[in-house]
Amino acid sequence: MHTTANEAHFDRLASTTYKASQSSIELAKRSYAEQVTSAGNAILRHYDFDDESTEVMDFACGSGLLSQHIAPYAKSVVGVDISQGMVDLYNMFALNQGLLPEELRAVRFDVLASSTQDPFNGQRFDVIVCASAYHHFESIEDVTTALASYLKPGGALIVVDLIQPGDQINLDELFPEHEGRIVAHRGGFKETTIVQAFEKSGLQQVGFRPAVNVKKKGQSLQLFLAKGRKPSL
């Protein structure tokens, strides 16, 4: 239910809001782009990227704002999204920047779908990042387990999303766009929920910390950064 609704929602978004802007510079003026930039900076602080060796997956990549932020610090970035519209925008931006597919590309792929398809041709990743998207997933345990399977031994999964605010915050007023069809976890996550999902997937050295301060309709909120590592061989 959530997967189909999210795919339709972001395909519509790709054909309207995102296409209304003609460059990533214009997109960066949007508050969402500023949030993604802050999330990208937090990710860069908490993982030792190497521009000659680090292979990255940007999961639920959207139009590629986070990927563009991280790409200069990595050997390659592969974006993954269920929305073909977003994937097309991502690849258009990469092409316009003169980047080769070996450096920056996106594919449409549902990591939870029952399929023998491997769009990565056996490639596994040093780090998988996911920013401001986990709240869309009905089962974060299933998504985390699937993502962990695409990590190299010793690789890291890094997730940035909203820390669930206290009871004094009216979620209906703060997040009217978080209607049930497209957002499974309204208002973000508690630390225990994320840590348990990471540990159940087999990830180790799991950490959870406040990472980014944001404003929403005048209310102060925080994004967390969660990180776990796949055991080494």
Side-chain angles (χ1 to χ4, degrees), residues 141-152:
E141 292 85 359
D142 290 347
V143 168
T144 305
T145 298
L147 293 178
S149 72
Y150 291 104
L151 286 171
K152 297 177 183 179

Side-chain angles (χ1 to χ4, degrees), residues 72-198:
Y73 306 93
K75 176 183 177 182
S76 64
V77 181
V78 178
V80 177
D81 206 283
I82 60 170
S83 165
Q84 187 62 53
M86 288 296 180
V87 166
D88 291 343
L89 283 176
Y90 184 116
N91 288 327
M92 179 184 69
F93 291 148
L95 179 64
N96 289 343
Q97 291 171 358
L99 296 170
L100 298 174
E102 293 80 11
E103 299 172 295
L104 187 67
R105 67 183 175 93
V107 296
R108 186 202 174 280
F109 184 58
D110 182 355
V111 298
L112 297 182
S114 299
S115 173
T116 58
Q117 176 191 14
D118 181 1
F120 315 116
N121 297 317
Q123 180 184 12
R124 294 299 179 261
F125 300 91
D126 298 292
V127 58
I128 297 176
V129 299
C130 181
S132 299
Y134 248 50
H135 57 271
H136 287 282
F137 308 138
E138 189 166 8
S139 173
I140 64 168
E141 292 85 359
D142 290 347
V143 168
T144 305
T145 298
L147 293 178
S149 72
Y150 291 104
L151 286 171
K152 297 177 183 179
L157 172 64
I158 300 177
V159 172
V160 178
D161 213 304
L162 182 67
I163 296 176
Q164 190 174 91
D167 294 338
Q168 71 276 15
I169 300 293
N170 187 320
L171 294 179
D172 290 329
E173 293 181 358
L174 201 59
F175 300 103
E177 71 276 17
H178 280 193
E179 50 95 3
R181 291 188 310 111
I182 64 168
V183 175
H185 302 275
R186 297 187 70 239
F189 297 94
K190 296 180 179 179
E191 177 177 355
T192 53
T193 303
I194 295 295
V195 171
Q196 287 174 3
F198 273 48

Side-chain angles (χ1 to χ4, degrees), residues 15-71:
S15 66
T16 56
T17 304
Y18 281 83
K19 285 187 177 178
S21 297
Q22 298 299 312
S23 72
S24 59
I25 294 176
E26 290 176 316
L27 283 171
K29 296 177 182 177
R30 301 178 183 275
S31 60
Y32 173 73
E34 293 173 356
Q35 179 177 308
V36 171
T37 298
S38 296
N41 289 336
I43 290 169
L44 291 171
R45 288 195 300 270
H46 288 92
Y47 186 85
D48 187 16
F49 285 82
D50 185 325
D51 61 5
E52 294 185 354
S53 64
T54 302
E55 297 177 280
V56 182
M57 177 202 292
D58 179 4
F59 181 66
C61 61
S63 63
L65 296 178
L66 179 62
S67 293
Q68 293 171 40
H69 192 74
I70 289 175

